Amino acid sequence: MGETIKEEISKAPFVALMLDETTDVSNAAQLSFVLRFVTDSGVKERFVKFEDVTGKKRAEDVAAMALGFLEEHGCMGKLVAQCYDGAAVMASGLNGVQAKVKEKIPQALFIHCYAHALNLVLSQGVVKIKECRIFFSHLSGLAAFFSRSPKRTQLLDEICQKRLPRVAPTRWNFASRLVCTVFEKKDALKDLFDYIVEHHEEFDDAAILSADGYLSNLGNFEFGFFLSTFNEIFAHADVLFDILQNKSFDMQFCLTRVEEFCICIEGQRDRFDQIYDETVQDTGLPTGRRAHGDSRSHYKKLHNGILENILNQVQNRFKDHEKLSFLSLLDPQQFTSFNSNFPETAFASLTESYGPHFDLSRLKTELSVMYEQVHATCYDEADLCAPKKKILLR
């Protein structure tokens, strides 16, 4: 580590620790150590080192490495936040790494990457429903079908004029792109697979068999129903994902967008009848075992189950955001309202998380003065604008 970085870390009054595991080209598990802190020139993120954790993946082992790293760099008394992925060994509040670090450093608030949390919301919200897993397995196979053959890829370019993105297991924004592409190019894909079946002499047996199966899927009610359902869900998820990935947005803004996402997902309940009826128009009524009994009730139950799972996952994955309500203390858009009604709940949140680091009575006075000054400035500007408005009205 460079001397400049060492000096920056030693001067920083507070630090946050970020750990992430990746597998290198030799198939060894490497844990990256990153420190985030504030200097006179702004916020800094410094990669410090990799450490091989191939045989040391238990929470106790990783926590010991984290604490040893902090001790080595003189950060035990300066750590105020820790950020890892959502794996149980890292994130569990009982026996995970974050819990074991907090045993030693109680003020080290755990923050999970919100973009990664959204990926987990979508993936865990889907895998619990058998029919959804089958749908995404077919969808993933559809993308893989073309990637295995230059000839098939060329045919895709000629007929669909758009390639299908591959799905990454932990990146559901890629699944979103695939859903949207297949939804958009559904008719063209039918033409493509029909071409392969009709011109069977030009293709091998595996291609013909797969094409016939995918052609059947694209005309199947259940596949079409899930395609439409997830196309609408991902339309909202993509907007939120872009926000959570954007470093220019503060955390309070992102959490507000998460709440709006939940409202949008809740509103999807009212979309069921239209999705169902449009799918029936496109593919006909459900066939096979789904044709028996009340198929509309069956698919409404599935539709509600998908939405419920996603909403429950959001609640579980983002439940710790209440601990960060103190961030609103410095939200300029709320300063005027704070002047008339001091944000006691947000201040209590700060007191609970980081009280020992502040002179709380002095801080409360300074915040109140700041809110009052901003309110007065806005009031004065309004008075200055009033004569201009009168002139314009004349």
Side-chain angles (χ1 to χ4, degrees):
M1 182 173 60
E3 293 301 320
T4 302
I5 297 177
K6 286 183 180 179
E7 186 177 352
E8 287 178 341
I9 294 173
S10 66
K11 290 182 177 179
F14 306 108
V15 300
L17 173 66
M18 295 185 286
L19 302 178
D20 196 17
E21 183 195 325
T22 187
T23 303
D24 63 20
V25 292
S26 64
N27 211 30
Q30 300 284 349
L31 188 67
S32 62
F33 291 74
V34 177
L35 287 175
R36 181 180 174 91
F37 48 87
V38 178
T39 67
D40 292 338
S41 59
V43 177
K44 304 288 185 182
E45 276 187 15
R46 299 300 192 192
F47 165 75
V48 180
K49 68 171 183 175
F50 278 120
E51 186 156 338
D52 191 333
V53 292
T54 304
K56 298 175 287 185
K57 293 190 177 184
R58 296 184 309 160
E60 294 84 354
D61 298 327
V62 178
M65 281 188 282
L67 292 168
F69 171 80
L70 293 167
E71 184 79 49
E72 178 186 351
H73 294 88
C75 295
M76 289 290 285
K78 300 195 294 186
L79 186 71
V80 293
Q82 44 182 329
C83 182
Y84 320 128
D85 63 24
V89 69
M90 302 298 287
S92 172
L94 294 175
N95 297 306
V97 173
Q98 66 110 345
K100 294 184 181 301
V101 170
K102 288 194 75 170
E103 288 176 5
K104 300 289 186 181
I105 313 173
Q107 75 273 18
L109 200 62
F110 170 63
I111 308 295
H112 182 191
C113 168
Y114 281 175
H116 189 259
L118 180 59
N119 270 315
L120 292 173
V121 163
L122 297 172
S123 63
Q124 295 301 310
V126 165
V127 298
K128 295 180 181 295
I129 299 176
K130 178 187 69 176
E131 291 87 346
C132 292
R133 292 199 68 177
I134 293 171
F135 166 73
F136 279 102
S137 295
H138 286 312
L139 203 65
S140 181
L142 191 64
F145 173 80
F146 294 102
S147 66
R148 296 184 186 127
S149 166
K151 184 177 180 179
R152 300 174 198 171
T153 301
Q154 182 181 3
L155 194 61
L156 182 67
D157 292 340
E158 292 173 358
I159 296 179
C160 295
Q161 299 178 344
K162 191 172 185 178
R163 296 192 179 185
L164 303 184
R166 295 291 298 274
V167 175
T170 58
R171 299 292 298 275
W172 274 76
N173 56 317
F174 285 100
S176 167
R177 295 175 196 172
L178 180 56
V179 166
C180 295
T181 303
V182 173
F183 183 84
E184 176 192 350
K185 298 292 183 179
K186 184 178 177 181
D187 290 337
L189 285 166
K190 285 181 181 179
D191 292 341
L192 186 154
F193 290 124
D194 188 58
Y195 177 90
I196 293 175
V197 172
E198 291 300 319
H199 297 77
H200 55 87
E201 67 279 357
E202 300 177 18
F203 298 91
D204 57 39
D205 291 345
I208 297 167
L209 182 63
S210 296
D212 187 55
Y214 291 130
L215 189 59
S216 176
N217 277 338
L218 290 169
N220 175 270
F221 174 88
E222 187 162 297
F223 186 91
F225 175 80
F226 285 128
L227 187 65
S228 297
T229 295
F230 283 105
N231 183 59
E232 296 200 4
I233 290 173
F234 283 139
H236 299 294
D238 285 349
V239 173
L240 179 59
F241 190 85
D242 289 341
I243 290 171
L244 298 181
Q245 286 282 76
N246 193 322
K247 292 183 179 181
S248 64
F249 294 131
D250 63 60
M251 195 172 294
Q252 191 64 38
F253 177 86
C254 292
L255 291 173
T256 301
R257 302 291 84 77
V258 170
E259 292 175 1
E260 291 175 353
F261 172 74
C262 290
I263 294 171
C264 291
I265 295 300
E266 188 67 45
Q268 283 294 306
R269 296 183 193 278
D270 297 332
R271 293 280 303 143
F272 168 76
D273 286 329
Q274 185 171 345
I275 291 173
Y276 184 91
D277 292 338
E278 288 178 354
T279 306
V280 169
Q281 286 183 346
D282 184 45
T283 67
L285 289 166
T287 57
R289 58 184 178 179
R290 301 303 181 204
H292 303 292
D294 188 350
S295 60
R296 181 180 285 268
S297 295
H298 170 76
Y299 283 100
K300 186 167 188 176
K301 184 178 179 180
L302 273 177
H303 188 260
N304 284 335
I306 293 168
L307 302 180
E308 283 292 339
N309 279 350
I310 291 174
L311 289 170
N312 288 337
Q313 285 293 321
V314 170
Q315 185 177 7
N316 291 334
R317 299 287 175 183
F318 291 93
K319 63 183 178 182
D320 287 339
H321 79 269
E322 293 179 0
K323 298 177 183 176
L324 305 173
S325 62
F326 60 81
L327 294 171
S328 64
L329 292 169
L330 297 178
D331 182 358
Q333 294 183 351
Q334 301 189 60
F335 283 0
T336 301
S337 63
F338 286 169
N339 179 58
S340 57
N341 186 18
F342 189 84
E344 296 290 353
T345 301
F347 194 79
S349 168
L350 179 67
T351 301
E352 181 183 356
S353 297
Y354 297 122
H357 293 294
F358 295 96
D359 181 337
L360 293 170
S361 59
R362 180 179 176 182
L363 176 63
K364 188 171 184 177
T365 300
E366 290 178 349
L367 287 171
S368 298
V369 170
M370 180 175 67
Y371 299 150
E372 184 178 356
Q373 288 178 340
V374 171
H375 174 73
T377 300
C378 293
Y379 185 79
D380 291 342
E381 288 177 352
D383 283 348
L384 288 171
C385 291
K388 295 180 182 179
K389 290 180 179 178
K390 290 180 180 179
I391 294 171
L392 288 172
L393 288 171
R394 290 175 187 170

